[in-house]
Amino acid sequence: MSSKPNLSIIIPVHNEEENILELYERLYSTLSLPSLIETTYEIIFIDDGSTDGTFEEIKKIKNSKVKVVRFQRNYGKAAALSCGFKRSKGDFVITMDGDLQDDPKEIPRFIEELKRYDMVSGWKNKRQDPISKTLPSKVFNRLTRFITGVEVHDFNCGYKAYNNYVVKNINLYGELHRYIPALVYWKGYTVGEIEVEHHPRVHGESKYGIERLLKGFLDLITVTFLMMYKKRPLHVFGGIGILFGLSGVIISIYLIVLWAAGLKIGDRPLLMLGILLTVTGAQFISLGLIGELITNSRNNDDYVIKYDSYELENGR
Ligand code: UDP
Ligand code: MG
């Protein structure tokens, strides 16, 4: 690394028109602080299909270190971060939300911690959001911590910092951005955590309600599976298969014995339905997990870009 550290700040934004310029101003003053004066930087806005004036606001910023990539439609935060990761050129990569809830003043602390860890996750210990968000989030974090064994309190915090080799090695899609510390840890990198100050949202609305959280819960199965068995899917599916197959044999023997003893086996349609649903359910889950494995092993850029200042820079 050169003596002048290089910073890439990635900000995914979806309908944040009132926040863009103020966020830029705050970032700019932080990046001009004496402690960061040696640092060079780029700020990458990913406009994730905004339908308001977000893109126009970003384009008002007169600073060649500010880049913007605009998506064709709203693909979600994971896709936006993934795109930013691919574009980033800095030694250190910082992601933050574009709604002014994350405070740029934390950047020097993140950089300091990056000397000790491959990745540092923010922890909004005093999160300034309604209880309808903070409570499910607490449950989510406890469960994820329990299942993945990664000791982080705020998996989904948008404010995070990485050494650049980490971001080049993780593949985000769907709702997987919620589990970044687990995915990073599973790759073998170290994960640190710092508490960060959090401000209430003043302009615009939160895009993440309970329904997106529920969608994200399914991905916990994916993450658990990936963390444990990526290379040996047979160890999961074979296990399920043996369990089901054996239960089937035992039940059949029991029925045959009943029948041989001249007893009535009975006439139970629900029994049939129960078996049918359990078996098909298990098969569908297995199929889904195999689908996830395939998706995850590809480098899937499933977003379409409408505008890319990086490409324009290269003379297109
Ligand atoms: N965001 C995005 N795409 C989306 C939803 C959100 O890029 O589909 C951005 C949003 O503009 C913000 C950040 O992700 O910069 C965090 O979103 P939000 O503040 O709505 O989530 P919350 O903090 O309420 O969980
Ligand atoms: Mg927010």
Side-chain angles (χ1 to χ4, degrees):
M1 198 185 301
S2 61
S3 59
K4 272 190 168 183
N6 227 313
L7 206 60
S8 294
I9 299 167
I10 301 171
I11 311 171
V13 281
H14 176 70
N15 292 349
E16 304 285 0
E17 61 181 356
E18 291 160 297
N19 293 318
I20 301 293
L21 292 179
E22 193 174 337
L23 173 61
Y24 170 69
E25 289 306 327
R26 289 192 198 173
L27 263 172
Y28 188 81
S29 18
T30 302
L31 293 163
S32 312
L33 288 174
S35 59
L36 288 174
I37 207 75
E38 283 288 295
T39 312
T40 56
Y41 68 89
E42 61 175 351
I43 299 173
I44 312 170
F45 283 99
I46 311 290
D47 176 7
D48 183 16
S50 297
T51 49
D52 66 355
T54 295
F55 182 66
E56 288 68 30
E57 290 297 299
I58 299 170
K59 291 206 72 175
K60 282 185 194 161
I61 301 171
K62 298 285 170 260
N63 179 345
S64 61
K65 293 173 184 160
V66 176
K67 320 280 182 198
V68 53
V69 180
R70 186 184 196 185
F71 282 173
Q72 191 71 35
R73 65 160 168 83
N74 178 233
Y75 292 100
K77 202 170 163 183
L81 289 174
S82 171
C83 175
F85 286 166
K86 296 216 165 86
R87 295 291 184 287
S88 64
K89 296 176 180 155
D91 303 314
F92 300 134
V93 177
I94 292 188
T95 62
M96 65 193 295
D97 288 350
D99 54 7
L100 298 174
Q101 293 195 260
D102 295 336
D103 196 320
K105 75 168 186 209
E106 311 283 8
I107 290 177
R109 288 179 57 227
F110 271 114
I111 296 179
E112 202 42 47
E113 252 351 63
L114 279 179
K115 293 176 187 154
R116 303 207 287 142
Y117 297 100
D118 296 315
M119 174 206 164
V120 181
S121 197
W123 172 16
K124 302 168 297 219
N125 192 13
K126 302 198 175 70
R127 184 171 176 177
Q128 302 294 315
D129 278 320
I131 186 145
S132 59
K133 286 187 73 91
T134 53
L135 195 67
S137 154
K138 278 218 169 84
V139 175
F140 163 85
N141 279 304
R142 251 172 207 275
L143 192 65
T144 309
R145 201 157 59 228
F146 175 72
I147 290 181
T148 65
V150 179
E151 288 300 318
V152 161
H153 294 85
D154 195 356
F155 282 85
N156 190 22
C157 180
Y159 211 176
K160 290 187 167 73
Y162 310 80
N163 278 286
N164 69 351
Y165 48 82
V166 177
V167 304
K168 303 296 178 194
N169 269 316
I170 47 176
N171 199 7
L172 296 181
Y173 60 91
E175 297 286 314
L176 282 188
H177 62 279
R178 297 172 186 279
Y179 302 96
I180 294 176
L183 296 170
V184 166
Y185 174 80
W186 166 68
K187 291 266 177 182
Y189 296 120
T190 52
V191 179
E193 185 175 58
I194 61 170
E195 272 191 48
V196 291
E197 200 176 315
H198 195 239
H199 302 296
R201 196 186 243 283
V202 177
H203 306 293
E205 287 168 4
S206 166
K207 283 95 201 167
Y208 283 99
I210 191 83
E211 65 299 331
R212 279 180 102 157
L213 184 76
L214 288 178
K215 251 169 118 187
F217 262 117
L218 259 190
D219 284 321
L220 188 55
I221 302 179
T222 302
V223 172
T224 313
F225 173 70
L226 284 175
M227 289 188 71
M228 294 164 79
Y229 293 108
K230 173 154 192 190
K231 299 250 157 47
R232 313 295 295 273
L234 180 67
H235 286 201
V236 176
F237 304 122
I240 299 174
I242 289 170
L243 202 73
F244 275 71
L246 266 184
S247 334
V249 170
I250 293 169
I251 292 170
S252 304
I253 292 174
Y254 171 66
L255 289 179
I256 290 171
V257 171
L258 284 189
W259 173 77
L263 295 168
K264 252 189 108 192
I265 291 175
D267 167 23
R268 289 180 176 272
L270 257 187
L271 179 75
M272 302 290 270
L273 190 65
I275 293 172
L276 191 72
L277 288 183
T278 318
V279 172
T280 32
Q283 284 181 345
F284 270 111
I285 293 173
S286 313
L287 270 179
L289 281 170
I290 294 177
E292 286 286 342
L293 252 190
I294 298 171
T295 313
N296 199 273
S297 57
R298 285 168 43 219
N299 205 3
N300 53 320
D301 275 343
D302 51 4
Y303 43 81
V304 178
I305 288 170
K306 193 170 181 179
Y307 177 96
D308 186 342
S309 61
Y310 276 98
E311 292 194 358
L312 294 176
E313 200 177 61
N314 296 331
R316 272 188 54 186

